[in-house]
Amino acid sequence: LEEPLTLTACGEVRGLRVLDAGCGTGRIGQALVRQGARVTGVDISIEMLARATSASVSGRRLNLALASV
């Protein structure tokens, strides 16, 4: 439920730079990358960022950072 609602709320993202604060596994960030956005994901959990790092979209990866927001 969260992903479709978030993506609908974001609207057209092609060419935009997006911050995914609290990105977790990067699921929503990856969906935004597939839609043409340049996404930076930030999370406080090393484990979640490791999972996000292992995912890629058509050779493009999320830019990820370990931080508390």
Side-chain angles (χ1 to χ4, degrees), residues 12-39:
E12 176 60 46
V13 296
R14 183 169 307 284
L16 297 180
R17 296 178 70 190
V18 177
L19 173 63
D20 185 0
C23 67
T25 62
R27 186 180 77 249
I28 292 173
Q30 291 293 348
L32 293 170
V33 167
R34 283 192 295 276
Q35 293 180 12
R38 295 172 51 201
V39 180

Side-chain angles (χ1 to χ4, degrees), residues 2-18:
E2 172 189 350
E3 185 174 339
L5 292 174
T6 300
L7 296 177
T8 298
C10 287
E12 176 60 46
V13 296
R14 183 169 307 284
L16 297 180
R17 296 178 70 190
V18 177

Side-chain angles (χ1 to χ4, degrees), residues 14 29-37 52-62:
R14 183 169 307 284
Q30 291 293 348
L32 293 170
V33 167
R34 283 192 295 276
Q35 293 180 12
T53 299
S54 67
S56 66
V57 176
S58 303
R60 295 174 289 172
R61 289 185 12 195
L62 288 169

